[in-house]
């Protein structure tokens, strides 16, 4: 029975799956953005986000734990240096998955997975949009307030 085993096995045995996710996480850390299938990207997000959270507290125990998953000194340096500084104030959700269409050969659904804080184009576009929320109470009260003012002007 496979009760309570909800993660995607990606049609691989445990060792192969761990190696795949580790290599993809190293590539993501080094390049800040990679292109892959949607299933692998979702599995990678589940694998990488706890590691990124560990990097926010820079001590020897966390470095050793992250190195046990990644097995790459350069990736660990990059993660605890540049990436940890950028994501320090973010409470989670460090990665973004954007679907890019289907692969030509086997029609697999492809996507791009990237760090949220490293895409300058998306960061510049975000502040331009200003959300305004309007309440029905204010809009209903505004015409009522204008009505007596209009009556006063006509009375004079």
């Amino acid at each position: 029975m496979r009760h309570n085993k909800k993660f995607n096995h990606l049609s691989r045995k445990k060792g192969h799956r761990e190696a795949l996710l580790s290599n993809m996480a190293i590539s993501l850390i080094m390049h800040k953005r990679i292109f892959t299938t949607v299933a692998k990207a979702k599995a990678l997000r589940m694998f990488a986000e706890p590691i990124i959270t560990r990097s926010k507290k820079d001590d020897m125990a966390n470095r050793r734990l992250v190195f046990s998953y990644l097995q790459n000194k350069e990736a660990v340096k990059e993660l605890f240096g540049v990436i940890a500084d950028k994501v320090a104030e973010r409470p989670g959700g460090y990665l973004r998955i954007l679907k890019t269409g289907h692969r030509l050969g086997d029609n697999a659904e492809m996507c791009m997975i990237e760090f949220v804080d490293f895409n300058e184009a998306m960061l510049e576009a975000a502040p331009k949009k200003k959300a305004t929320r309007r309440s029905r109470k204010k809009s209903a009260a505004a015409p009522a307030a204008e009505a007596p003012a209009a009556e006063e002007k006509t009375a004079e």
Side-chain angles (χ1 to χ4, degrees), residues 39-71:
K40 287 179 186 176
K42 288 179 180 179
L44 177 61
R45 184 170 52 187
M46 286 176 52
F47 179 82
E49 292 223 357
I51 291 173
I52 298 166
T53 302
R54 286 268 180 198
S55 74
K56 289 164 69 170
K57 184 180 177 197
D58 189 5
D59 60 354
M60 189 58 66
N62 283 338
R63 279 187 180 262
R64 285 180 175 165
L65 191 88
V66 168
F67 183 76
S68 73
Y69 286 110
L70 297 181
Q71 297 291 316

Side-chain angles (χ1 to χ4, degrees), residues 27 42-43 51 54 77 83 91 107 115 133-134 139 156:
S27 296
K42 288 179 180 179
I51 291 173
R54 286 268 180 198
K77 283 182 197 173
I83 294 172
N107 206 28
F115 281 96
R133 301 184 82 192
R134 297 183 183 182
S139 62
E156 292 178 4

Side-chain angles (χ1 to χ4, degrees), residues 36-43 97 99 109-111:
T36 184
T37 62
V38 173
K40 287 179 186 176
K42 288 179 180 179
I97 296 175
K99 295 182 180 178
E109 194 172 6
M110 299 297 288
C111 69

Side-chain angles (χ1 to χ4, degrees), residues 60-131:
M60 189 58 66
N62 283 338
R63 279 187 180 262
R64 285 180 175 165
L65 191 88
V66 168
F67 183 76
S68 73
Y69 286 110
L70 297 181
Q71 297 291 316
N72 187 312
K73 286 183 185 179
E74 290 78 24
V76 173
K77 283 182 197 173
E78 182 80 12
L79 182 63
F80 278 87
V82 178
I83 294 172
D85 293 339
K86 284 260 194 172
V87 300
E89 66 277 352
R90 185 174 288 278
Y94 313 108
L95 301 175
R96 170 189 299 131
I97 296 175
L98 298 170
K99 295 182 180 178
T100 58
H102 294 273
R103 188 161 48 198
L104 203 56
D106 60 352
N107 206 28
E109 194 172 6
M110 299 297 288
C111 69
M112 173 181 67
I113 182 168
E114 66 180 358
F115 281 96
V116 173
D117 294 319
F118 283 90
N119 189 344
E120 287 79 19
M122 291 281 242
L123 291 176
E124 291 171 5
K128 291 180 183 176
K129 183 180 177 185
K130 184 177 179 184

